Structure formats: C-alpha cells, structure tokens
Amino acid sequence: MSQLPNLTQAEPIPAAAKAEVTRILETGDLFRYTNDQSPVALLEAEFAAKLGSTYALAVSSCSAALFLSLKALGLPRDARVLIPAFTFAAVPSSVVHADCVPVLCECGDNYRIDLDDFAAKLPSVEAVIISHMRGHTSDMDAIMTLCDAAGIPVIEDAAHSLGTTWGDRNIGTIGKIGCFSFQSYKMLNAGEGGIMITDDAELVAKAIIMSGAYEHNWRKHPVLHAPFATWQNKLPLYNLRLNTLSAALIRPQLDALDQRVTDGRRNHDHVANQLDAHPNLSVPAELSPENRAPDSIQFNLVDLTDAQIADFQSATLQAGLNVQIFGRSTDNARAFWNWHFLGDTPELPKTRAMLTNACDVRLPARLTLAECDAVAQVLLSAATQATQQKAA
Ligand SMILES: *Cc1c(COP(=O)(O)O)cnc(C)c1O
C-alpha cells in the first residue's frame, strides 16, 4: 500500500511564478500603483475574464474582500447580516468589522444552509453572506429567488469554491459580489490574498477607493470612471491592497486552475465512493446543479457513540492521519459556540449536531490515486476498529 501523503503541504509554486517574483524583486516594484501595468491589475483582468465577471478588485485577504463588500453596499451601522452558522470565524468577524450584526442561519447535515431557517430569518436582515463552506454550495436558486423577491443583496463567500459551477454559472458570479481567497490552503496559493468580483460599477468603484486607491490611483483600474467622481474624498481609505509579489505568485497558478479542479474532483470522488460504502461513514451528495472543485473531503460519522468516535479519532491519529471533527476540538474556529466575540451566540441544534459528527480531511489536487487509497484505507479501518471495540 502507498504511504500516507503529507496532507498539510499547500499547492506548489510554479517555476514561472518564481521567475516573475525574482524579476519583480530586482526592480523593487512591489506597490501596485507605481505602474499602470502592475501584476495586480493584470491579475484582476485575468481573474474577471476567467470567471466571466465585469470587474475584479484584488485585496489582502478574502476577509478584507467581505468587509469591503459590506462597506460598499452602504449598509447602515448595526444592519443585520445573515450568514451560515457553519463558516470560518473570519466571516462573522468581517461583519463585526463593518459595524454590522451577524445573524446565524442553521445548516443541515449536508453542510449547506437550512432553507426553512433562512426564509424565516431573511425578513429581519439587510444583507446576506453565503459561505460556500469547504466548497459545498447551498441551493443558490432558492436563495436568489428569496433574496431577489425581498430586495436583499447577496455576497458570495466563495473563498474555498474557486472552480465550482452551479448549472452554467461560476460560483461567485451568482450574488451581487463574489469573494475569493488566495490563502495557502485554498486552490491558488499566495500565502495571503483575496479578490472580489462584481458586475456593478458603482460597488466596485467604492470598494476600489476604500481598498486604498488614494487620490487618483483609481485611474489605474479599467473601470467606468464616472462613479469615482461621485465618491472622491467621501470614503475612508482602509488600505487593504494586494502587493505585486502576491499577484505574481497567483497569475501562473490561474493557468493551472482547470487541471487542479479536475484532479481535485477525481481525488475527492475516488475517496468518497470508498467511504460511502462503510455503514458508519456518509459523504453527503452534491446538489444536482453543482459541479464541485474540492481540495478536501468532509463526511459524517453515523450511529457511533462518543466513545466510538474517540476510538475512531485515536486510530486515525495512530496511523498518522489528523482528522478534524469540527465540533470536537477545543477552540475550533468553525464551531459557532466558540465565537464569544459576538456576545451570546444562539443555540442552533441542527448545526451543532452536524458539527459534532462532521469530519474534515485535506485531499490536495496533487495527490495520486494510490495516495488517496492510503488515506481512504486509514479512515475505513479506523471506523471498523471503532465499532468492533465496542462490540468486544
Ligand atoms: C479561508 C476562508 C475564509 C477566509 O479567507 P482569508 O483569505 O484567509 O481571509 C473565509 N471564508 C471561507 C469559507 C474560507 O474557507
């Protein structure tokens, strides 16, 4: 059997990116607004074209993109923003950062938004952020129908969904704004970085100014210039720009995206089919319009006691595999009850039940099928071992 691969390693940096970084370092030209043809501006044009969006703004992180999106929407102080309760702590944090109030929506055991809870809470909010957590797409048809009818803007947190499609649409282009991450554990690895896309000239102009296009630096963005005249000197400058080195790291990886998506989906489905055949492991199916771009796998533990789950975890650990169960590790940033910065978090029994049984294992696109088999084997034997120990 193949050895367990190193699952914590990020996507490799292509040779073309290393060469471009060296070239830029020799010029010392690290600030995006020194030149008209900055690698950051080129990245924005290429990313928008790839996703089929009119405008893109590259920034320092996906969290910064979410924050700027809320600010660009012009929401009043204390506006309520509906977000899924299954997301990363940076998402409610971006809402707090924008002086708004996060409202948590229940998620089901398929990791997606519970539409009954969503519909019930929608009338009390002024904006919605949909986190496609771990690349699992919530029902965007139902969500857009509800939000369009209520006139509520939708921001897609597509941080972990680059390359996912919903019907004939790219994820991130369905809501008013889509936000992506270039943090190391996402599909394109720049260490840190983010980008927002939209078709709305007014929104992107406001976000560009607030991201730090001070004075007339907005002229270096190929966007309709009329909205800038409206907003000149009227918005704060938060300085959340991306530097040229990060853009240089990302651009050649954008060319590799389609291959990474194909390989990641192959790896995911290969492991998912094996896990799903075990009576105590269940991989929720994707929704029918969805074509995923996974770089990790999530599955639920079924019919296991707390003691058996502990046995499962220690068996995987002993075999050298670190399986995260979102709701069972201390201070997990994806467990809503740890978001004490929100004050009292509500009780959300569906999301809590899901989080205490949902396992998370990285499955990078670069793995071979033999390496995927090694990962699957550890998980299957650990599940069998955990149930047998109980019977003995
Ligand atoms: C990674 C991630 C973020 C945060 O992205 P950063 O670029 O690190 O700010 C937000 N939401 C989701 C769903 C993520 O996976």
Side-chain angles (χ1 to χ4, degrees), residues 70-71 74-82 94-103 123-127 342:
L70 293 167
K71 296 304 282 185
L75 298 171
R77 183 174 285 272
D78 294 331
R80 289 159 59 87
V81 178
L82 192 54
S94 71
V95 178
V96 171
H97 189 190
D99 293 320
C100 296
V101 178
V103 177
S124 76
V125 305
E126 290 180 59
L342 296 182

Side-chain angles (χ1 to χ4, degrees), residues 60-64 66 87-88 90-91 131-135 157-160 180-183 186 192-194:
S60 54
S61 69
C62 180
S63 303
L66 292 170
T87 188
F88 184 59
V91 175
S131 276
H132 303 298
M133 190 53 174
R134 287 292 190 270
D157 168 15
H160 218 150
F180 296 85
S181 175
F182 302 126
Q183 188 266 342
K186 311 298 160 90
E192 304 283 358

